[in-house]
Amino acid sequence: MSSVSRSRWLRRLLFGVLALAVVVPGAAGGCTAWVYTSAAVSTVGTTDFRNELAIPPLAPSTIGPDGSRVFELDMRSGTKEFRPGKITETWGFNGDYLGPTLRARRGERVEVRVRNQLPEASTVHWHGMHVPAAMDGGPHQMVNAGESWAPRWTVDQPAATLWYHPHPHGKTEQHVRRGLAGMFVLDDENSESLTLPKDYGVDDLPVIVQDVKFSGSGFDNSHRIFRNAGFLGEQILVNGTLAPYREVGTELVRLRLLNASTARIYNFGFGDDRTFALIGTDGGLVPRPTTLDRLQLSPGERAEIVVRVRPGERTILRSNPIEAGLDFWNQRFSGGDDRLDILELRAAATLRPAPELPATLATLEVPDGSTSVRERHFDLNLAGINNVPMAMDRIDLTVARGSTEIWVVRNADGMPHNFHVHDAQFRVLSVNGAPPGAQLTGAKDTVFVAPDSTVRLALRFDGPADPNTPYMYHCHLLWHEDQGMMGQFVVVEPGQSAGTPHAHGH
Ligand code: C2O
Ligand code: CU
Ligand code: CU
């Protein structure tokens, strides 16, 4: 049985058991109630915030002969003591878990020397980065165990919080779950001139959020019954730290939130419901700060927020039940009812004053769709996008370099999905025909699509053209991606047609 028909079968079984529970109350009803009740997780009020939040180090770099900024990333296996006295087997970049923060400036040429010291082949993808297809690190750029890969490109996009992670076809969830992920921060002239908190690790904090479950000396990555979304954990790691707190010494604190979980959707807010300013989305700073008290991020999405703290106080960043248009069952079994403590901020007794946030932050560079040359439709289904499962040797779309297109993405399934496109940042034009909310007004590369809803996106692919090497678009719930909710497109010169991709990397 395929996993799709299996999950349909499980759903039918659940409804069957329920129907039975109505007719014959007793054992079956009790069993269903137990499965339903035990599916919800709450760590609110029981998290002791005993560990100081780790800050991933900034990756050192050297300047290569051609002036490039050169980084080194070693993918390796290791162990880490997340819990006192208990060792967990992990994977990481240049360390045991996660990886350093890479940082580069617009206009710089970068090179990343990736060495795979894992026992198996993998890749490193630069999520959110505008890169030539052969440097993208998708499933066509596999790096075998013991081998190296050194992609190079010129950074040509606005300041943003991007990230990197493996992308081996069919195994992305596993590889990310073991610990392979890191941030890639871009700066530009504009971001450097703005009066925003920007002292890395001091008032500008990376917040890489993952849900995990431990078992013996490893992570328990098994999917529990009815979990259509994939793996859902019961404890939260931030930057690899369990139950983290962080002392802060300034009135304003910037958090670069990255949902690096493989299926979980977070609905962030503070325990006391204080407001915060949204200053950036996936692809960079938004035109102007917006005040929010909740911010939902699905897997792969990022947001930069700035929160104000008062001297001596503590406040908890928390995830609340999600608002994702899910039915009763999918809400519960996709972790939608869960409440999770994420991070406690502890303000010093005296705080350094911070200037007010600038009224305007950036000019968006994403297209507004007015010059679109074509519209394409994508139906999201676990069975495959437009019901076609991913195939490494099939190009699904061919896009002309420099042209703007409108992509209409619909969730045709009852379960949560999102949509991520490689290489380009896009603008969300509408959600179900209405203008998007504040959270979707900036540059995006990943967008949540609720069941039975439709988002319209405007994208432009600036190239370079490479008819033989595809980029990916996919659901970023990584188990869904692994199951084949992914397609491939190539960027060609106008009038050129797609070539032939290789069925395997290399
Ligand atoms: Cu974050 Cu195709 O990936
Ligand atoms: Cu990506
Ligand atoms: Cu999905």
Side-chain angles (χ1 to χ4, degrees), residues 267-335:
N267 187 10
F268 293 108
F270 287 89
D272 50 14
D273 290 327
R274 76 182 53 199
T275 59
F276 50 86
L278 172 72
I279 61 163
T281 52
D282 300 338
L285 297 170
V286 291
R288 59 198 63 81
T290 328
T291 304
L292 299 175
D293 61 3
R294 289 287 184 276
L295 176 93
Q296 197 159 287
L297 294 182
S298 66
E301 289 185 286
R302 290 87 65 211
E304 296 184 31
I305 63 171
V306 174
V307 62
R308 180 175 290 278
V309 292
R310 288 175 298 259
E313 73 170 350
R314 292 181 177 194
T315 186
I316 296 167
L317 178 69
R318 188 166 275 169
S319 180
N320 305 286
I322 63 174
E323 288 155 38
L326 298 171
D327 63 48
F328 188 72
W329 295 106
N330 276 288
Q331 170 81 5
R332 171 59 56 107
F333 290 104
S334 305

Side-chain angles (χ1 to χ4, degrees), residues 228-229 380-382 415-418 475-477 480-481 485:
N228 287 329
L380 303 182
N381 250 302
L382 185 53
M415 59 183 84
H417 295 302
N418 68 11
C475 177
H476 217 289
L477 276 70
H480 291 181
E481 175 197 321
M485 273 194 82

Side-chain angles (χ1 to χ4, degrees), residues 182-194:
M183 256 188 199
F184 204 137
V185 173
L186 298 181
D187 303 298
D188 64 12
E189 212 176 304
N190 176 49
S191 69
E192 286 165 351
S193 72
L194 291 168

Side-chain angles (χ1 to χ4, degrees), residues 125 127 163 165 167 420 422 472 474 476 481:
H125 164 60
H127 180 129
W163 65 302
H165 63 79
H167 216 301
H420 167 53
H422 286 209
M472 308 293 132
H474 57 90
H476 217 289
E481 175 197 321

